[in-house]
Amino acid sequence: MFPYFSIDPRLQELSRQAEEEIRPQFEKIEEVQRYNQQKMLAAFNRAGVSESHFAASTGYGYGDRGRDVLDEVYAYALGAEDALVRYNFVSGTHTLTVALFGLLRPGDKMLCVTGTPYDTIQGVIGLPGREEPGCLKEFGIGYEELDLLPDGTPDYGAMEEKITPAYRMVYIQRSRGYSLRPSFSVAEIEKMARIAKKKAPDCIVFVDNCYGEFVEKEEPTSHGADIMAGSLIKNPGGGIAPTGGYIAGRRDLVELCSYRLTTPGTGREIGCTLGHNRELFLGAFHAPHVAGEAVKTAVFAAALFQKLGYGITPRPEEDRHDIIQVVELEKREALIAFCRGVQKGAPVDSFVVPEPSPMPGYDCDVIMAAGAFTLGASIELSADAPLREPYAAWMQGGLNYHSGQLGMLLAAQELLDEGLLRL
Ligand SMILES: *Cc1c(COP(=O)(O)O)cnc(C)c1O
């Protein structure tokens, strides 16, 4: 089956069995791909995307029609009233930060209802010990959070009690990020949003939608969320966007965010695109399919590594709400071998050997495997792991399932070659 790579025949057999078992999941994933691809094509048709929209603009970028049409395409595909899609967003964290600073004012309070937010957002908010210069806290914006229940699910009861009109924003993080909790479905997010609106009708329900786009048929903004944001070098850029982010949701709120991105008064009317429109349109068009390929890769990884005897989260048969798969390798050496195998399956820099090293913000060494066309793009097959108990790798991405599957097999092969795995 794999004439170009040396994959142990026993691994090949386990791979075949794994694929057999996950066939029902693949059918569900393909149904979501079909639906979302159709929605994306309809978005292109409706917005009248044309060759002329790929033209480059310079300077202030006044009247850049392609930029405005791209916003329309994403708004429709994400089920939102409006969207602001720009390559000028330098990361997911930057996009979320622009949205938070665009929406919140001194004296406002935000309440995160999904436990402690993603690492980089902690510094933006200014959590205790993480007060970065210029953080929300410095601007007099208050923050509180509700813990998740011990099993990692949302504490709806606590939300009912805690939320009052004193909170300007209720903040929800959809993806597990680099934790072991489950990701939240659009239905769960809708339930949180409903409680928030019941207890505080004027609050803004804000969703960090990173890693969630196109994993389900609908997005949070068509199910109770007022606004959401994410990174174009994850799901919604289709592996083609070279950088950027999006903010999507209620028109009045997107407008406020645009004043923060550029200036009060000019907002979305300015910002040249330098010839990036074509690749952003192309990335948008591919995004629903590519997100599904990444989900397939994750489900295959879950099934294969479960068969090899490792702890995995989520399980192969569980419904997915993001593209992340956790594989618990249990031992330091095994974790390193896993990441080295993933690297060997990359189209770019496959000859590089990942090494654990210190990282700012971590209390231990971190190892990362990524051989991507776009630096740091985690819609491409990648794995990150802090070298500490339970020696788990957070893997995600895979531009197409077949290469993603090979990456996972090469990770298993590396464990076998290093004598860390018995079959
Ligand atoms: C990736 C991610 C971010 C931040 O994105 P960067 O591009 O790494 O800055 C924020 N929240 C979640 C849940 C993420 O997965």
Side-chain angles (χ1 to χ4, degrees), residues 238-240 289-291 293-294 297 347 373 379-381 397-404:
I240 291 172
H289 182 75
V290 173
E293 297 297 283
T297 303
F373 293 95
I379 188 62
E380 302 188 49
L381 188 66
L399 291 179
N400 57 67
Y401 167 65
H402 298 292
S403 67

Side-chain angles (χ1 to χ4, degrees), residues 358-386:
M359 271 268 285
Y362 283 90
D363 56 4
C364 64
D365 283 356
V366 174
I367 186 165
M368 292 181 177
F373 293 95
T374 297
L375 192 68
S378 43
I379 188 62
E380 302 188 49
L381 188 66
S382 47
D384 311 56

Side-chain angles (χ1 to χ4, degrees), residues 26-63:
F26 275 29
E27 277 172 23
K28 280 195 215 169
I29 296 164
E30 282 162 19
E31 171 56 26
V32 173
Q33 282 177 312
R34 198 188 333 271
Y35 181 90
N36 284 333
Q37 191 64 60
Q38 199 184 132
K39 188 163 38 162
M40 186 58 82
L41 180 59
F44 271 67
N45 294 169
R46 222 172 144 268
V49 176
S50 141
E51 167 91 37
S52 64
H53 298 142
F54 306 154
S57 65
T58 57
Y60 297 124
Y62 286 126

Side-chain angles (χ1 to χ4, degrees), residues 91-94 96 118 120-121 173 175 177 208 210-211 231 233-234 324:
S91 67
T93 305
H94 179 217
L96 290 157
Y118 190 77
T120 56
I121 305 299
Q173 182 183 310
S175 168
D208 172 352
C210 282
Y211 285 134
S231 163
I233 65 168
K234 294 179 179 174
I324 299 177

Side-chain angles (χ1 to χ4, degrees), residues 221-244:
T221 34
S222 51
H223 288 268
D226 292 305
I227 193 155
M228 64 185 186
S231 163
L232 291 191
I233 65 168
K234 294 179 179 174
N235 313 16
I240 291 172
T243 181

Side-chain angles (χ1 to χ4, degrees), residues 333-351:
E333 300 70 40
L335 183 53
I336 295 171
F338 177 92
C339 290
R340 289 184 174 163
V342 172
Q343 187 76 28
K344 285 184 177 175
V348 180
D349 291 335
S350 60
F351 50 85

